């Protein structure tokens, strides 16, 4: 089997490690892999591919082109596959859809679309615009259900959970809380109200825990508003801001708690990685995050407010045993359901269904 992975810059920024591991896993199973990425990728920020990864092709193309250039782009891609024509195209990122469909139509093959976000589902190609779709691959059961509610053929909807490697040694969170406590906040910066409620709650928490250090992912449309609000609350002395948490994974998994304030249904492998290290999760209730079970492997806040954030975070930081218990349960969940090998096997099983025709239902 020859799999073409077309990946846009947004997905490479947030999930480069997982995508690299997927490619490595395919290659280990003797699957031929071609890797197609944007030509304007800022490679100085991160290496999007390992030099020792034995890909069939590493191709850089423009993702956004005018209609008059689409044919030339497809021709360029097709020529790159002259030695071994692809069997299936795996589209990772919304910006890849146009080029992926153009290539699929030219080669008369099917595409599999990666779905990791509730927002993404609203614009999924369907009907006549999805002629070459062989599979929609959701990373949680709730996302799969949401796809099916869009009147998309159920036979085309597959669930393949994100996968991460579990470290041999877990962390002992809140090991010395009297000296230092670290909280990581991860989010897209789209919901300013969610951040205001959380930061106001944290301002109260710092009155009791002056040793608190906050690692804040600060990006998105409201990053400056969030920063100014933190300044107004006099929290800047407690905060270290990072542009993208995915670039600072070691810092995130080194924290004592991971907080997810927004409810946009975005699934990120970094959350699973933190769980694998026994970092407890405190999150706003989000049905898409169905791997988080309230009071079993996470603290879920169903009505986020200043009072609720303050109450639950203070309770967790005051009871290290509870934090470790939640962390251990989270690690167990990841080990049982979100392993990297499991993801690779699930993807290949889906691709086989696409190739065999089993992904389709006929009247």
């Amino acid at each position: 089997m020859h799999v073409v992975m077309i990946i846009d810059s947004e997905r490479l920024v947030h999930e480069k490690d997982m995508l690299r591991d997927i490619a490595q896993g395919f290659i280990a199973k003797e699957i031929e892999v071609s890797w197609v990425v944007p030509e304007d990728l800022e490679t100085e920020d991160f290496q999007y591919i390992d030099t020792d990864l034995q890909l069939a092709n590493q191709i850089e193309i423009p993702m956004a082109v005018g209609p008059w250039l689409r044919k030339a782009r497809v021709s360029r891609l097709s020529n790159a596959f002259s030695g071994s024509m692809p069997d299936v195209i795996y589209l990772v990122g919304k910006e890849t859809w146009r080029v992926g469909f153009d290539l699929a139509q030219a080669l008369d093959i099917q595409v599999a679309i990666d779905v990791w976000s509730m927002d993404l589902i609203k614009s999924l190609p369907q009907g006549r615009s999805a002629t070459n779709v062989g599979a929609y691959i959701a990373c949680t059961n709730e996302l799969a259900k949401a796809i099916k509610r869009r009147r998309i053929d159920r036979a085309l909807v597959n669930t393949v959970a994100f996968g991460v490697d579990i470290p041999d040694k877990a962390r002992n969170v809140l090991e010395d809380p009297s000296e230092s406590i670290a909280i990581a906040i991860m989010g897209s910066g789209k919901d300013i109200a969610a951040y205001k409620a959380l930061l106001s709650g944290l301002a109260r928490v710092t009155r009791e825990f002056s040793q608190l250090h906050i690692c804040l992912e600060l990006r998105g449309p409201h990053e400056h508003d969030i920063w100014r609000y933190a300044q107004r609350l006099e929290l800047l002395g407690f905060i270290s801001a990072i542009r993208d948490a995915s670039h600072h994974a070691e810092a995130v998994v080194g924290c004592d708690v991971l907080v997810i304030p927004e409810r946009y249904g975005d699934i990120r492998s970094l959350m699973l990685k933190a769980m694998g290290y026994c970092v407890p999760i405190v999150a706003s209730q989000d049905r898409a995050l169905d791997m988080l079970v309230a009071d079993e492997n996470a603290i879920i806040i169903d009505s986020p407010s200043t009072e609720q954030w303050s109450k639950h975070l203070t309770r967790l930081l005051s009871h290290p045993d509870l934090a470790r218990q939640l962390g251990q349960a989270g690690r167990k969940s990841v080990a049982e359901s979100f392993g990297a090998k499991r993801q690779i096997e699930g993807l290949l099983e889906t691709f086989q269904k696409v190739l065999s025709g089993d992904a389709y239902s006929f009247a």
Side-chain angles (χ1 to χ4, degrees), residues 124-144:
L124 280 178
Q126 59 187 106
R128 291 183 178 179
S129 62
T131 304
N132 288 81
V133 175
Y136 300 88
I137 304 176
C139 62
T140 71
N141 290 325
E142 285 298 324
L143 286 174

Side-chain angles (χ1 to χ4, degrees), residues 158-222:
N158 301 264
T159 302
V160 179
F162 277 1
V164 296
D165 289 319
I166 304 296
D168 295 332
K169 186 177 181 181
R171 291 196 57 248
N172 184 28
V173 297
L174 294 174
E175 190 169 12
D176 191 2
S178 63
E179 292 295 323
S180 176
I181 297 173
I183 291 179
I185 301 173
M186 192 168 71
S188 63
K190 292 185 288 188
D191 188 345
I192 184 64
Y195 278 89
K196 284 185 174 181
L198 170 60
L199 292 173
S200 296
L202 282 169
R204 296 185 182 184
V205 173
T206 59
R207 298 170 192 167
E208 183 174 346
F209 299 95
S210 60
Q211 70 276 35
L212 187 66
H213 183 79
I214 302 167
C215 180
L216 173 64
E217 181 178 36
L218 201 58
R219 61 184 179 88
H222 294 295

Side-chain angles (χ1 to χ4, degrees), residues 257-260 271 275 278-286 289-302 309 312 315-316 322-331 333:
V257 181
L258 174 59
V259 176
I260 302 173
M271 182 190 72
M275 292 171 70
C278 285
V279 178
I281 308 294
V282 183
S284 295
Q285 188 175 49
D286 187 336
L289 301 179
D290 55 14
M291 69 285 291
L292 301 181
V293 183
D295 300 323
E296 289 188 20
N297 64 8
I299 291 178
I300 304 299
I301 301 179
D302 54 4
W309 283 115
H312 287 288
R315 172 174 166 250
L316 187 65
L322 172 61
R324 293 168 195 145
Q325 178 184 335
L326 292 171
Q328 288 287 349
R331 178 180 169 91
S333 298

